[in-house]
Amino acid sequence: MLLDGAATAAQIREELKPRVQRLREAGIVPKLSVLIIGDDPASHTYVRMKAKACRGVGIESETFALPHDTTQQEAEELIARLNADESVHGILVQHPVPKHLDEIRLLNHLSPDKDVDGISPASLGALVAGVAKFVSCTPLGIVELLDRYHIPIEGQRAVVVGRSIILGKPLALLLLQRNATVTVCHTRTRDLPSVTREADILVAACGRAELITGDMIRPGAVVVDAGYNRVEGRSGDVGDVHFESASQVASYITPVPGGVGPMTIAMLLSNTVRAAEMRLRTQ
Ligand code: NAP
């Protein structure tokens, strides 16, 4: 069965609209500021999608498109300005930033109250401690999708293939918090198929097109594909899971596109609305 991220995200957006309306009636217009540095076309596309999604639920969004040669100090000064701006509730630094910039140092400047992307070291540390205000949107979207399909997490054997700071690691922590037994795989994992075959919930987050094939999946497992890969000669994005073979054995599986991607954006909107609601409560 398909885990339909597009339909679930649409439902979440509908649920957000009355919350945004209530905020507006209380004099708060939820606002997301997005910093994008450089001219990576895919990143610009993602930022446009995020801005459009914001508008769709009544969140204001502003994009700061900075040139590739932006200095660390210039970017940090802009973040400081947005931290101090009362009208801004969420700040997102589009990943990746150009190589001459220290991304972690940049993220360190984000106010934890506005880090709606949940990827600053402070937010990640808070996630480890179980007190995160905001959790990274892709992992959060994956868990939300499982929840909305009533897929149990507690006690399940979860295998996450990938250990990036934005995806694999926070997802492993979230699943652990929900009492799954979690294994994290990476490029040095020996005999990957023998590990993935143990999963009740298998998440592919490795950025390798169709790495996970049907023979690597235990029959009846739930398979979540976070991957988006451009492959020469193929139109559209290709996931980290080989859908044709995997869908023969999985009980539930996310498609690409229409699975994890829309859920990621829905969680960004949800976190931004929550940030504005937190502001309202402290007024
Ligand atoms: P990343 O930073 O490149 O990390 C990839 C991870 O996968 C690394 O931990 C790497 O291991 C591991 N890996 C790579 N090849 C492997 C292999 N052959 N076997 C086992 N592990 C392997 O990627 P990311 O940013 O986490 O993104 C992962 C995927 O998710 C990409 O396709 C990306 O486009 C997609 N993504 C989607 C969304 C969304 O909104 N849907 C958001 C973010 C990312 P090492 O640590 O050992 O190098």
Side-chain angles (χ1 to χ4, degrees):
M1 184 178 171
L2 270 193
L3 292 171
D4 189 339
T8 308
Q11 190 184 333
I12 291 168
R13 290 196 300 272
E14 284 308 311
E15 291 166 9
L16 287 173
K17 284 179 187 172
R19 285 167 63 188
V20 171
Q21 188 55 34
R22 277 196 292 277
L23 282 161
R24 283 178 172 257
E25 281 161 13
I28 290 190
V29 179
K31 182 169 164 187
L32 174 70
S33 296
V34 180
L35 251 84
I36 175 164
I37 309 173
D39 36 40
D40 175 47
S43 295
H44 276 272
T45 303
Y46 295 142
V47 167
R48 275 195 298 276
M49 284 163 65
K50 288 167 186 172
K52 188 173 167 218
C54 280
R55 284 195 298 277
V57 298
I59 296 173
E60 198 181 310
S61 87
E62 62 179 349
T63 301
F64 295 87
L66 306 183
H68 179 88
D69 59 1
T70 298
T71 64
Q72 185 84 23
Q73 190 183 345
E74 285 166 340
E76 286 173 8
E77 277 171 8
L78 177 55
I79 292 173
R81 185 153 69 73
L82 296 172
N83 279 340
D85 185 339
E86 292 259 305
S87 74
V88 173
H89 305 98
I91 307 171
L92 180 144
V93 178
Q94 181 64 34
H95 171 83
V97 300
K99 292 216 177 334
H100 67 277
L101 297 174
D102 181 339
E103 188 165 359
I104 297 287
R105 231 180 78 198
L106 267 190
L107 296 173
N108 256 330
H109 281 74
L110 283 177
S111 158
D113 290 336
K114 297 190 179 187
D115 178 22
V116 288
D117 209 19
I119 57 167
S120 70
S123 296
L124 290 168
L127 179 61
V128 173
V131 294
K133 282 184 181 145
F134 300 108
V135 174
S136 180
C137 298
T138 305
L140 193 61
I142 290 171
V143 170
E144 181 73 26
L145 188 59
L146 295 176
D147 282 346
R148 295 220 174 204
Y149 276 85
H150 308 291
I151 291 169
I153 296 176
E154 180 161 324
Q156 301 294 297
R157 180 82 194 254
V159 174
V160 179
V161 184
R163 57 172 168 183
S164 72
I165 279 178
I166 60 162
L167 217 175
K169 277 181 193 159
L171 177 62
L173 288 165
L174 270 186
L175 293 169
L176 186 61
Q177 242 171 43
R178 295 286 300 274
N179 298 316
T181 301
V182 184
T183 303
V184 182
C185 301
H186 44 79
T187 52
R188 319 291 160 82
T189 298
R190 269 187 279 126
D191 193 4
L192 181 66
S194 74
V195 184
T196 56
R197 267 186 227 118
E198 290 189 359
D200 301 311
I201 299 171
L202 175 61
V203 183
C206 52
R208 297 283 175 274
E210 298 178 336
L211 177 77
I212 306 295
T213 46
D215 58 318
M216 297 167 74
I217 298 166
R218 194 180 60 71
V222 174
V223 177
V224 176
D225 187 354
Y228 272 107
N229 309 285
R230 293 271 149 86
V231 176
E232 240 187 84
R234 306 254 308 255
S235 63
D237 290 313
V238 177
D240 291 350
V241 174
H242 184 263
F243 186 84
E244 283 69 28
S245 59
S247 56
Q248 304 292 313
V249 278
S251 58
Y252 288 90
I253 186 166
T254 58
V256 174
V260 174
M263 288 301 293
T264 298
I265 296 186
M267 292 301 101
L268 176 65
L269 305 181
S270 167
N271 279 350
T272 304
V273 170
R274 254 184 352 97
E277 288 170 342
M278 279 158 53
R279 172 77 59 74
L280 180 63
R281 280 197 292 276
T282 58
Q283 267 184 1

